[in-house]
Amino acid sequence: MENRRSSSPLRSRRAKLLAGAVVLGAAGLMTVQTIVPAQLAQATPVRIDNAAPADFSDVVGAVSPAVVSVQVKQAAEPRMMNFNGGNNFRDFFEDLPNGHPFERFFRDFGERGGEEGRPQRRAPRQYGMSQGSGFFISADGFVVTNQHVIDKGTEFTVIDHEGEEYDAVLIGADKRTDLALLKIESGKDFTYVDFADEAPEVGEWTVAIGNPFGLGGSVTAGIVSARGRDIGAGPYDDFIQIDAPVNRGNSGGPAFNMNGEVIGVNAAIFSPSGGNVGIAFAIPASTAQDVIMELKDGGTVVRGWLGVQIQNVTDDIAESLGLDEAHGAIVSEAQEGSPAAKAGLRSGDTILEVEGAKVDGPRDLSKIIAAYDPDTTVEITVWRNGKEQDIDVTLGRLQDQQQAAAQPEAVEPENTSLDDMGLVLTSKADAGLEGNGVLIADIDPDSPAAEKRLSRGDVILEVAGMPVNSPEDVIKAVKKAEEDGRKAVLFRVESNDNTRFVALPMNLA
């Protein structure tokens, strides 16, 4: 079957498609002119060459055959009741005395095999079914979708736009970017689409096609609302925000530009009700293309690993460090045994560049480091003790890691107050605790400390780069920062087994 590829022929039709709202645009311009103040009358008006499209039928007709529905069969987890700490009914049954009224109940349900020679009853294994969307990226049957669509799946079925079903196998998935790759083996060529080479501009038209609520082949349109959105989904968030209506079941489906190229993979919506409210998020084509290529090659995504806890450099933190501008990622802690720790990176270092590439913030650093292969040596420029310093780090391999959190208990020891900052401090020893640092015993709810989300039970480890183990150490470090002319002093604080930096303003009046 001849390969059908949706791509650039649509470019020549763009002028014809973009012909719809000239009158509406002119009316809007005239309305604005009637209310512009006289002092702005000389401003140069914005000229728009292309109007809104009259319809999207050419784009939709070309790309729809490449969009599919993805059905996923999932094994349901068995649920057993638990009595007296036992693992199942059997533990409870074994403890019953002979003649107990429940003895027959459990015998009939086969938990101890019933009467001798009587076979046990086994509940049939149950399965659930979920579905989402996807799209072909090659003629030989590779299908892109979301990781959360195929998560915990045991069988995968792809349904094309004509309703024909195909069994698919999972090639690989990447939870951090929520992408997955399936493969169909059918011996036929499929219509497929390409990823866009360039990122869309805010305001460009986009068309979303997918399987919302199981309604396959649904088409919606809107514009690109924003780029570079961080929605807290993961360390590599860089979502495109669109207002084309996207609902449950659209996950994994493509968002197209007017050339029929995929600008993003629809992955999430913001909705208090669970339905569309005009805010949807798509994984950018640039991210998807790189991840899918790695999944296609080896089934997994391999990323470089630095091994630091980092946070954003705010204006007050920059001031406390002596930085001219707020940028970079400050290291709150280098993990023990990590590449960062082995290379000599330490708490308080502010990472400014990696191999000459400027680091704007923590998210930027995460993406830069992840782009390198493990065992790559990179030059990292840090701000330490008021000057720049270059450190060579040989990256490791990023692994999934979990960290337990523990909430410190409230204490009522002898306290020392830093009234201007809203802190009441005590030593850990006075609170009956071991280890380094100074405990925050109380916080003024209207203070700068409260505004920075410091809490009772947090532990102050350093102040202005100086380790502290008593309230007196804290006061001495604060006074030193004040003598140095700092408008804010930097605290390194441990909270729930995580460390972070907080810059508190000082009363210099």
Side-chain angles (χ1 to χ4, degrees):
M1 180 175 180
E2 183 178 348
N3 174 31
R4 295 164 290 165
R5 179 172 177 172
S6 168
S7 186
S8 58
L10 291 168
R11 298 180 189 272
S12 61
R13 299 193 56 84
R14 186 171 186 179
K16 181 179 177 180
L17 291 173
L18 304 178
V22 176
V23 175
L24 179 60
L29 182 59
M30 287 187 291
T31 302
V32 171
Q33 287 177 337
T34 62
I35 62 172
V36 170
Q39 61 268 30
L40 299 180
Q42 300 302 317
T44 302
V46 175
R47 302 298 182 187
I48 306 298
D49 295 327
N50 295 321
D55 64 62
F56 301 92
S57 59
D58 284 356
V59 175
V60 172
V63 301
S64 286
V67 183
V68 300
S69 174
V70 178
Q71 290 188 349
V72 181
K73 186 177 182 181
Q74 300 168 322
E77 295 290 336
R79 296 184 178 181
M80 303 295 291
M81 292 183 66
N82 198 329
F83 294 91
N84 295 331
N87 291 325
N88 50 39
F89 283 118
R90 182 186 302 276
D91 298 315
F92 179 67
F93 178 69
E94 295 290 352
D95 293 335
L96 291 178
N98 291 333
H100 193 282
F102 278 171
E103 185 177 18
R104 181 178 176 182
F105 170 83
F106 281 96
R107 183 177 64 244
D108 289 345
F109 277 82
E111 281 300 315
R112 198 167 62 180
E115 297 171 358
E116 187 174 353
R118 184 176 179 178
Q120 292 184 353
R121 298 182 186 179
R122 280 188 153 185
R125 190 171 188 179
Q126 297 182 353
Y127 291 89
M129 187 70 72
S130 66
Q131 61 183 11
S133 304
F135 55 98
F136 287 111
I137 59 166
S138 66
D140 58 349
F142 281 99
V143 175
V144 172
T145 187
N146 284 145
Q147 184 274 338
H148 76 259
V149 170
I150 58 85
D151 190 30
K152 299 179 181 178
T154 58
E155 297 178 16
F156 311 97
T157 303
V158 171
I159 305 172
D160 68 15
H161 76 297
E162 294 178 345
E164 191 168 350
E165 297 186 3
Y166 303 89
D167 292 334
V169 295
L170 178 63
I171 300 300
D174 181 47
K175 188 173 183 179
R176 286 184 172 87
T177 56
D178 195 19
L179 290 166
L181 184 65
L182 300 171
K183 180 68 166 67
I184 295 171
E185 299 290 351
S186 71
K188 66 177 288 187
D189 286 347
F190 296 96
T191 300
Y192 67 97
V193 288
D194 290 327
F195 288 106
D197 292 330
E198 297 181 0
E201 296 294 334
V202 174
E204 281 190 18
W205 285 99
T206 182
V207 172
I209 305 179
N211 184 44
F213 304 112
L215 302 173
S218 292
V219 180
T220 56
I223 65 169
V224 175
S225 304
R227 285 168 42 188
R229 288 297 198 209
D230 182 358
I231 62 174
Y236 313 116
D237 281 14
D238 188 26
F239 287 97
I240 299 170
Q241 181 182 327
I242 64 176
D243 71 352
V246 170
N247 291 284
R248 293 178 181 177
N250 273 109
S251 290
F256 293 101
N257 61 19
M258 293 300 95
N259 295 318
E261 299 164 328
V262 178
I263 62 169
V265 182
N266 298 321
I269 61 173
F270 176 82
S271 174
S273 64
N276 168 64
V277 295
I279 301 178
F281 302 98
I283 303 161
S286 57
T287 299
Q289 201 165 11
D290 291 343
V291 170
I292 293 303
M293 186 179 298
E294 288 204 50
L295 292 178
K296 191 175 181 180
D297 288 342
T300 60
V301 178
V302 179
R303 297 183 173 94
W305 175 56
L306 185 58
V308 289
Q309 291 182 13
I310 52 177
Q311 68 182 82
N312 194 42
V313 178
T314 59
D315 289 336
D316 48 5
I317 288 178
E319 158 62 29
S320 66
L321 293 171
L323 282 168
D324 293 335
E325 61 173 326
H327 79 283
I330 187 169
V331 177
S332 55
E333 186 174 357
Q335 298 175 27
E336 185 177 354
S338 68
K342 292 176 181 177
L345 282 173
R346 63 195 191 203
S347 172
D349 286 344
T350 301
I351 299 176
L352 303 177
E353 295 180 355
V354 178
E355 286 292 311
K358 183 179 178 181
V359 174
D360 291 324
R363 185 177 56 165
D364 198 31
L365 176 63
S366 296
K367 290 191 293 184
I368 292 173
I369 293 297
Y372 286 99
D373 291 330
D375 299 323
T376 302
T377 299
V378 296
E379 184 181 78
I380 294 179
T381 302
V382 303
W383 182 263
R384 177 187 291 178
N385 297 330
K387 61 182 180 180
E388 290 187 3
Q389 180 176 334
D390 294 329
I391 299 174
D392 290 334
V393 181
T394 301
L395 302 176
R397 176 170 178 159
L398 182 64
Q399 304 287 346
D400 288 327
Q401 298 179 2
Q402 293 182 340
Q403 189 174 45
Q407 180 66 35
E409 295 182 2
V411 293
E412 296 292 344
E414 280 188 41
N415 304 321
T416 300
S417 177
L418 285 172
D419 292 335
D420 290 343
M421 296 178 178
L423 292 172
V424 177
L425 308 177
T426 187
S427 68
K428 293 184 73 173
D430 288 343
L433 300 175
E434 297 180 352
N436 298 325
V438 178
L439 199 69
I440 297 178
D442 204 359
I443 289 243
D444 181 349
D446 298 321
S447 68
E451 291 177 2
K452 298 292 185 178
R453 299 197 301 272
L454 291 176
S455 302
R456 181 179 181 182
D458 288 350
V459 176
I460 301 171
L461 301 174
E462 295 178 2
V463 178
M466 299 171 55
V468 294
N469 289 300
S470 69
E472 290 75 19
D473 290 343
V474 176
I475 294 173
K476 186 184 300 183
V478 169
K479 287 182 177 179
K480 176 67 167 57
E482 185 175 5
E483 291 170 359
D484 291 341
R486 298 296 185 196
K487 297 179 181 178
V489 61
L490 196 63
F491 286 68
R492 180 171 174 246
V493 180
E494 182 180 55
S495 176
N496 294 332
D497 286 347
N498 289 312
T499 59
R500 65 187 174 106
F501 284 95
V502 175
L504 294 180
M506 292 188 291
N507 183 8
L508 300 178

